[in-house]
């Protein structure tokens, strides 16, 4: 059976790196950042982050907590970039072809934001399609920076907890077959 495309890319990136290189943690941070970055996150699959993090955990180079903290940092930074893009480009966002093409998703995010910013940001973090859009929509909707930061820390903490469980579970499963 052949390798998946993202497995080949990951192997190419990590080839030649020492298994405990801090650059691998930077890769985890970068993948988490890209996964939730407004616009780009729609094309960067969370599967790549999960696969890379699970592989890294399986090598015993870093504990799961270190890997998850690296991902958490990337997620927080990516979400905040999205929030500030939404704050500064609000008129452009709602008039873009992309938003008009995905109007039903935008309407659902907006409805959720109007009901409860906290719940919308937490739920948006857990669904790949909404992950990169929700922070920008929160910024465009005028949510204060302080509230966004608090809500995003809560959402990213819950997401990181789930990531840790997946990394450990999948990593231990892979190790049992090696």
């Amino acid at each position: 059976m052949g390798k998946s495309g993202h497995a080949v890319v990951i192997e190419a990136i990590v080839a030649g790196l020492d298994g405990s290189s801090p650059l691998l943690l930077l890769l985890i941070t970068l993948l988490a950042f890209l996964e939730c970055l407004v616009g780009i996150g729609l094309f960067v699959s969370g599967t790549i982050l999960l696969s890379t993090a699970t592989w890294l955990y399986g090598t015993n180079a870093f504990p799961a907590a270190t890997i998850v903290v690296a991902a958490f940092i990337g997620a927080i930074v990516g979400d905040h970039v999205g929030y500030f893009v939404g704050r500064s480009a609000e008129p452009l966002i709602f008039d873009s072809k992309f938003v008009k093409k995905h109007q039903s998703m935008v309407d659902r995010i907006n409805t959720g934001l109007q009901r409860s910013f906290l719940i919308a940001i937490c739920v948006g973090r857990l669904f790949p399609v909404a992950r990169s859009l929700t922070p920008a929509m929160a910024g465009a909707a005028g949510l204060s920076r302080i509230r966004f930061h608090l809500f995003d820390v809560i959402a990213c903490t819950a997401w990181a907890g789930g990531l840790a469980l997946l990394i450990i579970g999948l990593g231990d499963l892979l190790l049992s077959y090696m």
Side-chain angles (χ1 to χ4, degrees):
M1 218 167 26
K3 293 180 183 177
S4 68
H6 69 271
V8 172
V9 170
I10 291 167
E11 284 183 10
I13 290 171
V14 300
L17 288 177
D18 177 9
S20 61
S21 172
L23 291 176
L24 293 172
L25 288 176
L26 185 60
L27 175 63
I28 296 293
T29 304
L30 179 64
L31 288 171
F33 172 77
L34 291 174
E35 170 186 51
C36 61
L37 191 59
V38 62
I40 294 172
L42 297 171
F43 304 104
V44 178
S45 171
T47 308
I48 298 169
L49 170 64
L50 180 60
S51 300
T52 305
T54 302
W55 170 80
L56 192 56
Y57 172 74
T59 64
N60 292 320
F62 298 99
T66 303
I67 296 167
V68 170
V69 167
F72 176 85
I73 291 167
I76 287 282
V77 172
D79 284 355
H80 279 72
V81 168
Y83 170 81
F84 286 111
V85 166
R87 281 292 288 243
S88 61
E90 183 258 330
L92 297 173
I93 289 173
F94 290 113
D95 290 337
S96 72
K97 289 179 185 178
F98 177 82
V99 167
K100 289 178 181 176
K101 181 179 177 184
H102 297 91
Q103 192 64 49
S104 63
M105 173 61 71
V106 170
D107 290 343
R108 282 188 293 232
I109 292 170
N110 256 339
T111 300
L113 286 169
Q114 297 310 316
R115 288 186 189 147
S116 169
F117 281 107
L118 175 60
I119 291 171
I121 291 169
C122 287
V123 170
R125 172 119 287 282
L126 300 177
F127 289 98
V129 174
R131 187 173 295 139
S132 70
L133 297 176
T134 303
M137 299 295 290
L143 179 64
S144 75
R145 280 179 252 157
I146 303 265
R147 289 185 70 196
F148 176 77
H149 180 72
L150 175 65
F151 296 165
D152 194 48
V153 167
I154 293 167
C156 287
T157 300
W159 170 82
L163 180 64
L165 292 173
L166 287 170
I167 290 170
I168 292 168
L170 293 172
D172 289 348
L173 182 66
L174 290 174
L175 288 174
S176 69
Y177 286 104
M178 295 177 129

